[in-house]
Amino acid sequence: HLPADRMDEEADRLGSIEARRAFRLSNGPLIRAELVRISPESHILHVSIHHAVFDGMSMTVLTSELADIYQAYFDGRTCPLEPLAIQFGDYSVWQKDFLNGPEMKQQLGYWKKRLEGMTELDLPTDFPRPPVKSWKGDITSTLLPKELTDKLHSLAAHNGATLFHLQLAAYMILLHRYTGSTDIAVGTPVTGRTRGELEPLIGVFINSLILRCDLSGNPGFSGFLGQVRETALEALENQELPFECLVRELRPERDQSRNPLFQVNFNHHRSFAQPGTFGGVSLTPIPSRSPGTIFDLHFFMVERKEGWRASCDYSSDLFSRTSADRMLGHFKRLLEDIVQHPEKTISQLEILTDAEHAQIKDWSRRPADYPRDATISSLFLETATRFPQRVALESGGLVFTYHQLRTAASALALKLIHSGVNPGDPVAISALAGPEMIMGHVAILLAGGCCVPIDPAYPADRFAMLLDDCGATHALATAGCENSFPSKWKGTLTLITGIGTDTEIVELPEVAVNAEHPAHLLFTSGSTGRPKCVLLPHRGTVRLVRDNDFISIGCEDVFLQAAPASFDASLLEIWGALLNGGKLVLMPNGPGLEEIAGAVREKGVTTLWLTSGLFQLMIDEHADSLKGLRYLLSGGDVLSPSHVRKTLDSLPHTKLINGYGPTENTTFTTCHPITRTDLDKPSIPIGRPIANTTVHLLDQQLRPVPVGIPGELFTGGDGLAIGYLNAPELTAEKFIQHPEFGRLYRTGDLCRLAVDGCIEFLGRRDHQVKVRGFRIELGEIEAILASHPMVRHCKAAVRGDSAESKRILAWAVPADGATPTPDQLSAWLAERLPSFMRPDGI
């Protein structure tokens, strides 16, 4: 209880960093003890000591001396302890000399070089990191059986390492598998008693070291264990530099939510030595701990008689108890596989239990019965035969029955066949939204062709490029749209004249088309500057709209076709209605919010799909118009929780569904019916795979990731595209053959599994973005902007956090001597890019 001026004076005299800390932290006694009598022969001695003056090794010293004194007094002897040869003050002097000597500079140089370029470890957490660390934490543990630890001992010795080295290596591999990072840095404490004279002292000698290892190149376990051993030995040779000095020298950016330099820790120690005699008293240690935690994650190993106990001390601000238990389970499974297969590489080592493998496999697929071998065209004919007088189309006050649509489309299909269309041939169609457009789509498929919709509003250069890329030799157009085609097409173009009132059905020759033949060719943005041509089979669309499990479709349903025909969402709208006997309400090109709301309200629409941005605007301005909907589907970007809440409040009888999927898997891959419980989650889930679709979250080595851990989403099943037209290398890159799961498409999307099997979307691995519901490769915009003769360098990016606020911006560096204006560059892009890809500002 020194006055403040004496405290500073005494701290400066001692010189030790830890001693100064002890004096400045203390505002009362640093050690308290109380004896609690439970019964005449049972007591609990509780000793509370501030960590500023007491470390783990001090516990062994304290209990040993306490036992010696207790035994001596029990025997009637005086205190048997010899005076200490040195005091903590002597150590403080040595430390002060070290801090001013050449060895300190040498060790500081080592650590600066060793930690150069080190980045924060990005651990996947259950909860967002708070801006200020609260220190709240909890602990969980598991026992490693003695048989396992004995084998680990033997394996470590065989590799010239210690059990600490092996367990630390396993911990680093676990962190690597959780984060995908190959640069893993872990903190670990050392006793700091580097001289024999320090062994009997009570005080703080402990220091923190940072062990940083490189896991790149997928090394074998034995080789990596050797790296960990060498790293640990080097660190011990440079352990005398106090961690506080290292922080002061490196000056990491101050962050109240994190510890400086490292957030994960690993500790390994044997049980402290218990005294052999205690005056006939049986001594039993009672573990106790603070409810707080210093680190984000702290694994520590403690030796017990029955084996080693692995404990996980975790920040409850970041992790749930379930996740912490799962981490320990993965650590134990990893150690078991290391013992069984030490020859494996670090990516081959198993971290999932058999039960987890089975659960994840069960979540990854949803098999169901549906007409798997049918084509779109055969199912349309079947539906038209079953419901000839039902209304198939409604547009601008006009209605057309299934019989009328079939009759007109069959006649047009016969023309295509006579003009030379063969099964699978691409047939381009440029049409304004309306019944003639639908008639053209149906006719192409009835003729056995592959439908290639091209928006007539595209710039002429892009329109011609898409025609060339798809390899179409036949084309359809509605009145006015024929002018979009280059002049060489004028003589071979077939004009769609409209749906007449003919009642006779034209008999079509049998067309040799099956479910695996291409039905649609859709263009998606490409990073090289040219769009990619995605070939979708009949089976993909049939599995989307027939007997699916995300919505129930019947002949009483009314779909609104608001998406452009060149957009994959139109497959759900058009064929969801026409292959189930429902009605398709057609909208003019580019309908506005009021037009969509009016059509939903007045036409009795039951099923509506909107992009995320359009959905949010519609809910803000026209929610009342949507009250008659059975299903409201949205997707293409992250949904706003506030708009979801408003939807659930204002449309209690409408099922709101979050749909996710790339074009390469035919519109939808996963769907999630949203409930109020989803509002408490970090983001609205994208759900589970739809029927006859598979979804796998894999790491960089194509192995399944555990629950809660980010992985790239790969998808397969009956919706999978045939590939990219005339792009075998790109097809081979994106459509892989997995040894266990078969043919899969790698989406590039990062996701993770929740504990209930739902998938959460996290972001992209690459530069692809979603804006206004459209998939856009920024590289395509950059490639076209860079082709301008007055541009030397350029960059495109997306700004805005929500779906409705996202916009594309571009920057250009003029070529030498050039002075292009933003208007000139915007005009250049307008001639080559569709409207949805053009930057909002340059």
Side-chain angles (χ1 to χ4, degrees), residues 95 137 150 158 174 191 198 204 237 250 276 282 301 356 427 441 498 542 546 557 571 586 629 651 654 676 701 760 770:
Q95 189 181 62
D150 288 345
H158 178 74
L174 183 67
T191 62
L198 302 178
V204 174
E237 291 174 359
L250 295 182
S282 175
M301 314 295 297
E356 285 178 299
V427 179
H441 282 238
V542 172
R546 284 294 294 264
D557 282 300
L571 300 180
L586 300 168
L629 290 174
L651 305 176
T654 299
R676 292 190 182 276
Q701 305 299 325
E760 300 172 4
K770 284 286 189 76

Side-chain angles (χ1 to χ4, degrees), residues 50 104 113 186 229 232 235 304 443 589-590 706 712 736:
H50 200 294
M104 187 268 194
K113 182 177 180 180
V186 173
R229 175 183 175 276
R304 295 283 185 254
N589 282 47
E712 183 176 356
I736 67 165

Side-chain angles (χ1 to χ4, degrees), residues 129-322:
R129 184 180 293 274
V132 178
K133 190 178 181 68
S134 74
W135 311 102
K136 291 186 294 188
D138 206 345
I139 188 172
T140 184
S141 63
T142 188
L143 182 68
L144 304 181
K146 192 172 186 307
E147 180 183 2
L148 173 60
T149 52
D150 288 345
K151 291 179 179 179
L152 293 171
H153 266 296
S154 299
L155 179 61
H158 178 74
N159 285 272
T162 65
L163 185 60
F164 165 73
H165 297 143
L166 191 149
Q167 292 172 340
L168 175 61
Y171 184 50
M172 286 185 161
I173 293 171
L174 183 67
L175 294 173
H176 160 66
R177 297 284 287 273
Y178 270 34
T179 64
S181 174
T182 57
D183 184 5
I184 302 294
V186 173
T188 191
V190 289
T191 62
R193 298 173 188 253
T194 56
R195 305 186 185 195
E197 303 98 309
L198 302 178
E199 295 295 331
L201 295 186
I202 290 178
V204 174
F205 302 88
I206 195 171
N207 192 22
S208 289
L209 304 180
I210 301 178
L211 305 181
R212 183 187 185 190
C213 287
D214 179 12
L215 291 87
S216 62
N218 192 25
F221 175 76
S222 296
F224 180 64
L225 177 58
Q227 181 191 157
V228 171
R229 175 183 175 276
E230 294 303 316
T231 298
L233 291 177
E234 283 184 8
L236 287 174
E237 291 174 359
N238 295 274
Q239 66 171 297
E240 293 179 276
L241 178 71
F243 183 72
E244 291 87 344
C245 289
L246 184 60
V247 173
R248 188 169 61 242
E249 288 291 334
L250 295 182
R251 295 186 179 183
E253 183 178 348
R254 293 177 64 87
D255 185 347
Q256 295 187 73
S257 70
R258 301 173 186 265
N259 294 306
L261 299 184
F262 69 93
Q263 288 76 49
V264 293
N265 200 58
F266 185 80
N267 198 359
H268 174 284
H269 56 83
R270 300 183 180 278
S271 300
F272 69 86
Q274 297 183 26
T277 59
F278 213 97
V281 174
S282 175
L283 180 66
T284 303
I286 302 175
S288 64
R289 65 177 300 275
S290 165
T293 187
I294 300 173
F295 306 102
D296 292 355
L297 200 61
H298 177 199
F299 269 42
F300 56 97
M301 314 295 297
V302 179
E303 187 181 30
R304 295 283 185 254
K305 290 181 180 179
E306 62 274 20
W308 283 77
R309 180 161 289 278
S311 298
C312 175
D313 197 355
Y314 61 95
S315 167
S316 53
D317 281 339
L318 302 177
F319 302 101
S320 67
R321 176 64 175 265
T322 301

Side-chain angles (χ1 to χ4, degrees), residues 28 224 240 340 375 404 414 418 436 440 481 491 691 820:
F224 180 64
E240 293 179 276
Q340 295 172 359
T375 63
Q404 290 174 311
L414 191 60
H418 288 162
E436 291 80 9
C481 295

